Amino acid sequence: MKNLLTLIIGLVAVLLNTAQAKIEALWSTDYALPGEKVVLLLQQVHTSNAGPSRIRQVSTGKIKNAHFLQNRNMRDNYYEESIQDSNGNTIGRIEAYMILVEVGGSGKVECENIEVTFSTGNKETVTVPELPVYTTAKVEWRNIESSQDSPISFGTMILTEPEEYYAGQPVHASIKLLLPQNFNRLEQQPRIISQGVKADTFHHPVGGLLGTLLQHWFPLRERLVQARGQQWMVLDLEVDLIPQTSGNNKEGEYDVYIQIPSLFQMKETHTESSAGFTFQSTTVRPIPTTLELPKLALRAPRPLPPNAPADFSDLVGTFSISTSTEAKELAMNEMIDVQITVKGSGSLEQLTCPQPQEAENWKLMPPTRKVITTATGEIEAVVFSQLMRPTVEVSGVPSFSFSYFDADTEEYKTAESQPIGLPWRATEAGSSGQVVSSHAAPPAGTVPVAELTDIYHFLPNANAGGNGAALSLPRELWYLLYLPGVGIILWLLGKLCYTKWQQQAATRSRDKILSTIAAEKDAAAFLKGIGAFIESNIPTAASNTELQAILNKRDAEVFRPDATPHVTQEERTGILRAVRKALSGLTTVLLMLCMCTQLCHAVGDDAEQYYEEGQYSKALEMLNEELKNGTDTRDKGELYYNIGNCKYRLNEPGEAALYYARALMETPGLAEAEANLAFIQRKEGAILPQQTTADKVFTYLSYPQLWLATVICTATLLLSIALSLLLKGKLKFTLRTVTGICIFLSILCAADYIYYATRSIVDLTATPPTDIAYITKSTVARSAAVESADSVVELPASTPVRLLASRGNHRYVETFTGTRGWIPADTASPLTTGDTTTQAPLIMKFK
């Protein structure tokens, strides 16, 4: 048994050692200058949280042409962070150990015997790549005129590799900038001006999560190097340049000009003299400056071999492709979502979605694109989400493929995915999906947005008299749910008040009798009357010694034959005071509440008939006339919704999305508008903000649905409390249970209200920002307000953006993922019009 246990422990140790992620070493820069401080990073990435082995100790070993530096300000070298996907879910963890190194003279830096000890006790020797060190003589110095007394000086050094390359093959450019101490930050991404060269996005040598940790541990102000008799801050940038073929570059020029918009700071000292005293003050003024780098002349690329495949798209490198889908079967006119993942080395940022084989058998929607990066910011893969539906009976998801040129083997190759076999489910309909009949579109809420093959149908007027007319319930009607509880409480209050009123009526009657008795002049009559009043109106339990003395005096002086009744004025006053004291009580205040509601109706017109007959332009004309005249023939939200339907049928998806969004502003919670907007944005590949897991949970109920849930919960809670007061001991357990559940749900609703009030993700449907606009025509956002400026991002129709500024016939916009750029003014329309205001949420739609 002991030997077996030893064997098991040994196997577990071997498995843990095998599962241990390999330590990777990399430098914070591609090359260094003499005396420059750089960072050697040791990173370990875990894709599983099941008992990972952590870095516990690092032995630095030997180093040539450099020396290790101690930590500054007692900061720790070790960092550990979780890795999250775009939805905020934790998918792994990254460890980083950072070693500060000061470089020696020109040559190269070599590290040996770097040893890492893990929490399991295992040790690993890390292989560190060499770091080239170049002399400062290679630095080119430039001056830029500024508002200061002296111009701004900076140095630059650019290295490119490989030396020989093919057209379409990325050329890696490493840029090192030596900046003065008053440099503050980059104002925006560097720009490239070139005729025959494309460029990927500029980035730091170490990006991603590891780059963020590096920026925190070793900020820019500490990356110094000595040159020309002073200290310079060192900023490293990288970019992949892609020379185009001669067909795209008719003049054959491959000169690259790089502009870096930067922000400098200038200190100004002001001196003032007053009454023999001198005062000095210093202010810091920002100076925006664009750094113009020296021309980078690239060698002309080698021409690609002839006879390229038909689907070759100027990609050079090595690539692989795979596909997956969650669909379980295929059916005519039913959409499926296929995930296409492309990995490899080459310009993945320039990759477009591969096409399927036998594409004529499928209806393809515009794909969405997602870039997957590593912890260091390097592009690992590109994932395309392709919505597609079969137009004929097929055997499964086809193979996706594209051709590229492999520079290593100097031949054309094809990357091809494996087909996915799926069973075919027969359906009744066999059309193309352009549904016109009112019976073809399902009622709202019955089909998830991801499975829709068309938009929801036209909404008829409430009083048009046709089938399926929608009844709009105004908000005030739902307050009637409070009536049962309020009614019971008011009835109980009324009953209590009536009882008190009866008691007060009896009190007034007694006071009248007592006043009559007090007016009696005859002593015998007074004593008889007051005695009878006490015995008939004051219970024996409420009697006291004073009242008993009054009754004894009456019995002694009235009912004895030989007695002579005698009552002085002082005794008479004392008797009346004692009786009134015994009759004293409390008063009750009655509160009355009332509630009024009213129901509004609309009248109908013939726009639906034109829509059903396929005359969408005529229906749109009538709806626009109705909108222009401001008539109340239908609900304003439904009017915008129907206009959006007509726009979609007329092949204007951007305009349709705009009017669906306006419909939701007028009538938040309109299920058909929400579904149609989501359908069009998914179909067009709109750029939308990414929701976190918490946001998905807390917004499971939309704001209108949350309002309705709150009304129902609080109305039920009020009714339970009222029934508890009415029935007292009856149904005690049941009513307590219902009350507890309603209190719990009301607290959840209150928490949801707080989340809605403090959420960071913009609500684009119920409460959109006032500066929002929708892209109505697919366009390209550019870095400047000219058509010749560099492209920043493609903006599909139906994409929501913020309007930031205007310049001529261009608008400066920002997507809800943070990307900014200039677009033509006629490609976007603001959501808010002159007569559109956000209303309180409409609660529900009935069919």
Side-chain angles (χ1 to χ4, degrees):
M1 186 65 182
K2 183 177 180 180
N3 294 335
L4 179 60
L5 183 61
T6 304
L7 178 60
I8 293 175
I9 294 175
L11 290 175
V12 171
V14 171
L15 290 175
L16 288 176
N17 188 42
T18 304
Q20 173 183 297
K22 182 177 178 60
I23 295 291
E24 181 183 1
L26 65 156
W27 296 96
S28 62
T29 181
D30 291 339
Y31 61 93
L33 296 174
E36 181 180 350
K37 293 182 177 64
V38 297
V39 177
L40 174 62
L41 299 106
L42 307 180
Q43 69 156 346
Q44 180 178 218
V45 178
H46 301 273
T47 57
S48 173
N49 294 323
S53 56
R54 290 177 166 82
I55 300 174
R56 281 292 172 262
Q57 185 179 355
V58 175
S59 175
T60 52
K62 298 180 180 179
I63 189 170
K64 297 181 180 179
N65 195 28
H67 65 276
F68 298 108
L69 297 177
Q70 298 296 325
N71 294 342
R72 293 97 60 221
N73 301 327
M74 301 300 292
R75 284 185 289 182
D76 194 3
N77 300 55
Y78 177 80
Y79 278 84
E80 181 177 350
E81 292 286 345
S82 60
I83 304 174
Q84 297 180 336
D85 59 13
S86 58
N87 297 324
N89 301 318
T90 301
I91 58 175
R93 187 176 52 81
I94 182 173
E95 292 180 272
Y97 191 90
M98 305 183 187
I99 305 173
L100 188 60
V101 176
E102 183 173 352
V103 177
S106 60
K108 58 184 178 181
V109 177
E110 302 178 48
C111 291
E112 298 178 357
N113 301 329
I114 300 290
E115 188 177 68
V116 176
T117 303
F118 298 95
S119 57
T120 58
N122 297 326
K123 296 183 179 181
E124 179 180 341
T125 301
V126 182
T127 301
V128 180
E130 297 177 348
L131 176 66
V133 182
Y134 295 93
T135 177
T136 53
K138 290 183 173 291
V139 177
E140 184 173 345
W141 300 93
R142 299 173 73 86
N143 294 329
I144 294 183
E145 298 297 330
S146 68
S147 58
Q148 303 182 69
D149 296 336
S150 59
I152 297 175
S153 299
F154 71 97
T156 180
M157 183 176 175
I158 305 177
L159 297 181
T160 59
E161 60 176 355
E163 294 184 0
E164 293 188 356
Y165 46 83
Y166 288 92
Q169 181 178 357
V171 177
H172 185 74
S174 299
I175 305 171
K176 186 178 289 291
L177 297 175
L178 274 61
L179 303 168
Q181 296 287 334
N182 62 343
F183 174 79
N184 182 262
R185 68 177 187 272
L186 297 181
E187 279 203 301
Q188 54 182 276
Q189 279 284 335
R191 300 189 294 263
I192 283 186
I193 301 175
S194 178
Q195 185 175 0
V197 178
K198 287 186 178 180
D200 290 343
T201 306
F202 278 83
H203 57 276
H204 298 287
V206 180
L209 178 59
L210 191 59
T212 303
L213 296 177
L214 177 61
Q215 296 289 337
H216 172 74
W217 191 80
F218 191 45
L220 179 64
R221 65 178 179 273
E222 297 184 17
R223 304 178 188 182
L224 302 176
V225 67
Q226 183 77 20
R228 305 181 76 180
Q230 69 180 74
Q231 295 279 350
W232 302 85
M233 289 193 296
V234 180
L235 177 63
D236 291 289
L237 294 172
E238 292 183 351
V239 67
D240 285 336
L241 306 173
I242 308 171
Q244 303 299 293
T245 59
S246 57
N248 297 328
N249 183 12
K250 297 180 180 180
E251 299 182 7
E253 296 181 357
Y254 296 93
D255 296 338
V256 177
Y257 298 89
I258 302 176
Q259 298 177 344
I260 305 181
S262 307
L263 190 67
F264 291 80
Q265 291 180 338
M266 182 182 73
K267 292 184 178 180
E268 295 180 343
T269 302
H270 303 276
T271 303
E272 295 182 3
S273 299
S274 177
F277 295 94
T278 301
F279 303 93
Q280 287 187 344
S281 61
T282 301
T283 59
V284 178
R285 181 167 60 90
I287 305 175
T289 304
T290 299
L291 304 181
E292 303 280 352
L293 272 61
K295 180 180 71 173
L296 176 60
L298 296 178
R299 179 180 298 181
R302 299 171 61 185
L304 295 172
N307 303 322
D311 59 347
F312 176 65
S313 56
D314 297 335
L315 287 175
V316 179
T318 56
F319 304 92
S320 63
I321 183 174
S322 61
T323 56
S324 63
T325 181
E326 294 183 358
K328 304 301 181 183
E329 59 184 4
L330 296 175
M332 191 73 68
N333 300 321
E334 291 190 8
M335 286 285 180
I336 63 171
D337 191 358
V338 179
Q339 301 292 321
I340 308 164
T341 304
V342 180
K343 299 182 179 180
S345 61
S347 183
L348 286 174
E349 283 196 5
Q350 307 293 330
L351 182 67
T352 57
C353 184
Q355 294 298 305
Q357 295 183 1
E358 300 178 353
E360 65 276 6
N361 296 336
W362 296 83
K363 174 66 176 179
L364 303 178
M365 301 300 177
T368 59
R369 185 174 186 271
K370 181 180 180 181
V371 178
I372 307 299
T373 59
T374 63
T376 57
E378 298 177 356
I379 298 179
E380 183 179 24
V382 177
V383 179
F384 298 94
S385 181
Q386 176 69 72
L387 277 176
M388 52 195 301
R389 59 179 175 86
T391 56
V392 298
E393 185 171 346
V394 294
S395 59
V397 177
S399 172
F400 287 77
S401 63
F402 65 94
S403 295
Y404 62 93
F405 181 75
D406 190 337
D408 295 333
T409 60
E410 298 185 349
E411 60 181 355
Y412 292 102
K413 293 183 178 180
T414 299
E416 183 176 0
S417 66
Q418 295 295 323
I420 304 174
L422 293 176
W424 180 263
R425 175 170 58 84
T427 56
E428 297 179 359
S431 61
S432 63
Q434 286 293 333
V435 181
V436 176
S437 172
S438 61
H439 302 288
T446 60
V447 180
V449 173
E451 299 178 12
L452 286 177
T453 58
D454 201 6
I455 60 173
Y456 285 122
H457 194 55
F458 192 94
L459 288 179
N461 287 334
N463 293 337
N467 294 329
L471 174 62
S472 298
L473 296 181
R475 172 178 183 170
E476 292 80 2
L477 189 61
W478 289 99
Y479 289 122
L480 295 177
L481 292 177
Y482 291 101
L483 284 183
V486 173
I488 293 175
I489 293 178
L490 289 178
W491 183 82
L492 291 174
L493 288 176
K495 183 178 179 182
L496 177 62
C497 293
Y498 179 73
T499 303
K500 292 295 182 181
W501 179 81
Q502 286 183 324
Q503 293 176 354
Q504 290 178 356
T507 301
R508 289 191 296 270
S509 178
R510 288 194 300 267
D511 289 342
K512 184 177 181 181
I513 297 172
L514 189 61
S515 299
T516 303
I517 295 172
E520 287 286 344
K521 301 297 184 179
D522 183 58
F526 174 76
L527 289 176
K528 284 183 180 180
I530 200 69
F533 183 86
I534 293 173
E535 290 175 342
S536 61
N537 292 282
I538 300 177
T540 304
S543 182
N544 52 37
T545 56
E546 292 180 349
L547 298 179
Q548 191 62 41
I550 296 172
L551 294 176
N552 292 338
K553 181 177 178 62
R554 180 203 63 174
D555 295 341
E557 298 186 8
V558 174
F559 297 118
R560 290 177 59 184
D562 57 344
T564 302
H566 178 74
V567 180
T568 64
Q569 185 62 36
E570 184 179 354
E571 288 178 332
R572 184 186 292 265
T573 303
I575 290 172
L576 294 174
R577 185 186 301 114
V579 173
R580 287 192 175 95
K581 181 179 179 182
L583 294 174
S584 62
L586 301 176
T587 60
T588 304
V589 178
L590 178 64
L591 300 178
M592 302 300 293
L593 302 174
C594 63
M595 178 182 299
C596 299
T597 60
Q598 61 180 3
L599 188 65
C600 299
H601 299 282
V603 295
D605 57 23
D606 297 329
E608 181 188 8
Q609 181 179 354
Y610 287 109
Y611 185 89
E612 295 295 337
E613 294 173 356
Q615 301 182 40
Y616 306 123
S617 298
K618 185 65 177 178
L620 180 61
E621 181 181 348
M622 295 188 65
L623 294 172
N624 282 329
E625 187 68 22
E626 181 180 333
L627 181 63
K628 179 181 178 181
N629 296 334
T631 57
D632 295 330
T633 57
R634 71 176 77 240
D635 178 78
K636 190 70 168 293
E638 293 184 0
L639 176 60
Y640 281 128
Y641 167 85
N642 290 332
I643 293 177
N645 273 16
C646 294
K647 292 285 188 180
Y648 176 77
R649 296 301 184 193
L650 295 172
N651 197 25
E652 299 179 21
E655 292 282 349
L658 172 67
Y659 278 94
Y660 290 143
R662 288 177 176 174
L664 289 170
M665 285 189 65
E666 288 290 339
T667 312
L670 184 58
E672 292 86 350
E674 288 184 354
N676 285 4
L677 178 60
F679 171 72
I680 287 180
Q681 288 176 333
R682 183 176 178 85
K683 178 180 177 181
E684 298 297 322
I687 301 175
L688 301 173
Q690 296 291 333
Q691 282 189 312
T692 63
T693 302
D695 193 66
K696 290 180 180 178
V697 172
F698 279 96
T699 58
Y700 178 77
L701 292 179
S702 65
Y703 197 84
Q705 293 171 336
L706 175 61
W707 189 91
L708 178 59
T710 304
V711 170
I712 294 175
C713 291
T714 53
T716 308
L717 176 61
L718 179 63
L719 180 61
S720 301
I721 296 174
L723 290 175
S724 299
L725 296 174
L726 177 65
L727 302 177
K728 297 182 179 178
K730 299 179 182 179
L731 301 178
K732 186 175 182 180
F733 176 77
T734 302
L735 291 176
R736 282 188 176 181
T737 303
V738 174
T739 302
I741 294 174
C742 291
I743 291 176
F744 176 71
L745 294 178
S746 299
I747 292 174
L748 290 182
C749 290
D752 219 355
Y753 272 114
I754 295 174
Y755 184 82
Y756 268 106
T758 59
R759 67 188 299 215
S760 58
I761 298 179
V762 179
D763 189 348
L764 298 177
T765 56
T767 55
T770 57
D771 57 352
I772 189 178
Y774 274 79
I775 301 298
T776 55
K777 301 176 183 177
S778 297
T779 185
V780 176
R782 302 187 181 277
S783 58
V786 291
E787 295 298 330
S788 59
D790 293 338
S791 172
V792 177
V793 65
E794 293 185 4
L795 297 178
S798 75
T799 298
V801 294
R802 286 185 185 273
L803 295 175
L804 301 180
S806 299
R807 182 182 297 172
N809 60 348
H810 280 73
R811 301 290 182 266
Y812 191 51
V813 300
E814 179 185 29
T815 67
F816 285 91
T817 57
T819 305
R820 295 186 176 186
W822 291 91
I823 63 172
D826 59 351
T827 60
S829 295
L831 176 62
T832 305
T833 60
D835 58 347
T836 302
T837 56
T838 303
Q839 298 180 349
L842 185 70
I843 308 311
M844 186 175 286
K845 300 289 291 185
F846 287 100
K847 290 290 184 182

